[in-house]
Amino acid sequence: MSKTVLVSSPSHFSQLLNNSKIVVVDSIAPIYEQLSAQLSRPQKIAFAKVDTERQKQVKQTYGVKALPTFMIFKDQQVVSTVEGADPRRLSDVVKKLAAEADADGSGGFGEARKPDPGWSGIPLPKGYEDVTDQVDVRGLDLLNSDSNLGDARTLFNASKPSALASGKNNEDPSGSEAKKDWVESDTDEQLMLFIPFQSTLKVHTLQITSLPPKGTEQDDDDDIPMRPKTIHLYLNRAHILGFEETDDVSATQTVTLQPHDWNNATGTAKIELRFVKFQKVSSLVLFVADGDGDGEKVRIDRVKIVGEKGEKRELGKLEKIGDEAGE
């Protein structure tokens, strides 16, 4: 759910600038809601909207001349302005500042130091980029997940998983009051995730992070969530598949992860795709069929998409793209 603040008056806007170290101001675009949902941090990063017809004093004070105009404030000062519909530039600027804020603000915007645009469990393959920002978070769908934990959007959060941030993944690192920033299956070990994209992608690799607690001798093995083992991928579906449908629909690719595939330090596995099959990707369905062990639940902390960005598609009109001839 978006955490964007709708500015109601000049005084409300001034109060917002005082209360948050970084304030990003929009007038008004779909990508903005997605960035707001992914990157908002209480008392650290706030997203706001200003209706320039109603808040003319704010418009005049900051010299807004074109719509849309995005202004990024740091410590109450404008540090960057993006005029016009340039979602890629806006995303890059905001994510760089968000990375700085997550690092307690060390280094300033525009300095020579290049901030990390987001956490990564393992290095990206040479020649490809992280295209996770192309996920259309409004269209995500997740079946058989535990409602007491994170939702589908949690999986695409750019921040480091809390299990790693705390330095402990053998217990709940954040206490009962903290947000659970991972997903677990509910009634059995299966999960079904629908991932639509804002543009047509060439997808080279998936990175899956799973950080189940290590448990103790007193723990029941059935209560400890497992890492995914068998994953079926379905290409360019218009919507999520039901579990029973998978018996009748052939997967584009099936991957079986082994214990040695997981990075010991970050709990991340790399899934290399048959690149020729994933040249024109408008959506993916990721079906976790089972886990690596005898437990009853599977846990996923993060999913990262690696490849190349392509042509923008019209959101809300997800069309199935047929396989290339001869495939």
Side-chain angles (χ1 to χ4, degrees):
M1 183 176 181
S2 172
K3 300 178 181 178
T4 302
V5 178
L6 183 60
V7 174
S8 58
S9 67
S11 60
H12 184 198
F13 187 67
S14 296
Q15 182 182 9
L16 185 66
L17 294 178
N18 287 327
N19 289 343
S20 297
K21 184 177 182 63
I22 295 173
V23 179
V24 186
V25 179
D26 161 52
S27 53
I28 292 169
I31 184 76
Y32 191 78
E33 293 294 334
Q34 297 161 18
L35 291 170
S36 173
Q38 293 174 1
L39 301 176
S40 291
R41 308 279 193 276
Q43 306 301 314
K44 189 174 284 189
I45 305 175
F47 286 73
K49 290 184 178 182
V50 175
D51 184 337
T52 54
E53 291 302 313
R54 294 184 178 182
Q55 307 302 327
K56 292 184 178 180
Q57 182 178 334
V58 174
K59 177 182 178 181
Q60 293 172 357
T61 300
Y62 294 98
V64 177
K65 298 178 181 179
L67 295 179
T69 291
F70 305 90
M71 295 181 293
I72 295 89
F73 294 76
K74 184 175 182 180
D75 295 325
Q76 304 182 46
Q77 300 295 319
V78 177
V79 293
S80 185
T81 299
V82 179
E83 293 186 346
D86 190 345
R88 182 173 296 186
R89 184 183 170 209
L90 175 65
S91 178
D92 289 345
V93 169
V94 173
K95 286 185 176 181
K96 286 179 181 179
L97 272 175
E100 289 187 11
D102 283 342
D104 295 326
S106 58
F109 180 82
E111 294 180 3
R113 184 183 67 86
K114 185 177 180 180
D116 185 356
W119 177 82
S120 182
I122 52 178
L124 300 182
K126 187 176 181 180
Y128 298 96
E129 62 179 323
D130 179 0
V131 295
T132 310
D133 63 349
Q134 294 301 298
V135 172
D136 181 6
V137 295
R138 296 172 299 174
L140 289 169
D141 201 358
L142 180 63
L143 301 182
N144 193 40
S145 64
D146 187 335
S147 60
N148 294 317
L149 301 175
D151 59 13
R153 294 189 180 199
T154 302
L155 297 173
F156 302 97
N157 194 315
S159 64
K160 179 185 290 188
S162 63
L164 290 176
S166 67
K168 300 178 182 180
N169 66 333
N170 61 345
E171 60 184 56
D172 179 353
S174 308
S176 60
E177 298 299 322
K179 180 181 178 181
K180 312 297 185 181
D181 69 332
W182 65 87
V183 164
E184 285 183 19
S185 59
D186 190 12
T187 59
D188 57 27
E189 75 273 26
Q190 296 188 334
L191 282 169
M192 187 78 72
L193 174 64
F194 175 65
I195 313 169
F197 298 111
Q198 303 172 49
S199 61
T200 302
L201 304 179
K202 294 181 179 181
V203 181
H204 180 272
T205 305
L206 301 180
Q207 294 184 6
I208 309 292
T209 300
S210 178
L211 297 161
K214 295 178 181 178
T216 64
E217 293 182 358
Q218 288 74 35
D219 291 327
D220 187 337
D221 288 343
D222 289 345
D223 294 333
I224 301 174
M226 305 173 291
R227 284 173 168 164
K229 182 178 181 180
T230 306
I231 298 176
H232 302 286
L233 298 168
Y234 302 85
L235 185 64
N236 297 333
R237 308 295 301 183
H239 52 73
I240 199 166
L241 289 172
F243 290 102
E244 66 284 351
E245 291 182 83
T246 60
D247 294 332
D248 302 318
V249 180
S250 297
T252 306
Q253 183 172 341
T254 296
V255 177
T256 301
L257 294 172
Q258 303 296 335
H260 64 262
D261 293 323
W262 298 92
N263 182 288
N264 290 331
T266 66
T268 300
K270 177 175 65 175
I271 299 177
E272 293 185 347
L273 304 179
R274 297 171 188 156
F275 197 36
V276 69
K277 290 277 191 179
F278 293 83
Q279 292 290 299
K280 297 180 180 179
V281 183
S282 59
S283 73
L284 283 174
V285 173
L286 189 153
F287 171 36
V288 178
D290 56 31
D292 187 14
D294 299 321
E296 297 180 351
K297 295 187 176 185
V298 160
R299 168 168 168 163
I300 302 178
D301 292 65
R302 297 290 186 272
V303 175
K304 189 179 289 291
I305 317 293
V306 180
E308 299 176 7
K309 295 179 182 179
E311 198 175 310
K312 282 284 183 180
R313 68 173 181 84
E314 187 176 350
L315 297 184
K317 292 187 177 181
L318 185 63
E319 298 177 358
K320 182 177 179 181
I321 302 173
D323 290 339
E324 296 290 337
E327 293 183 6

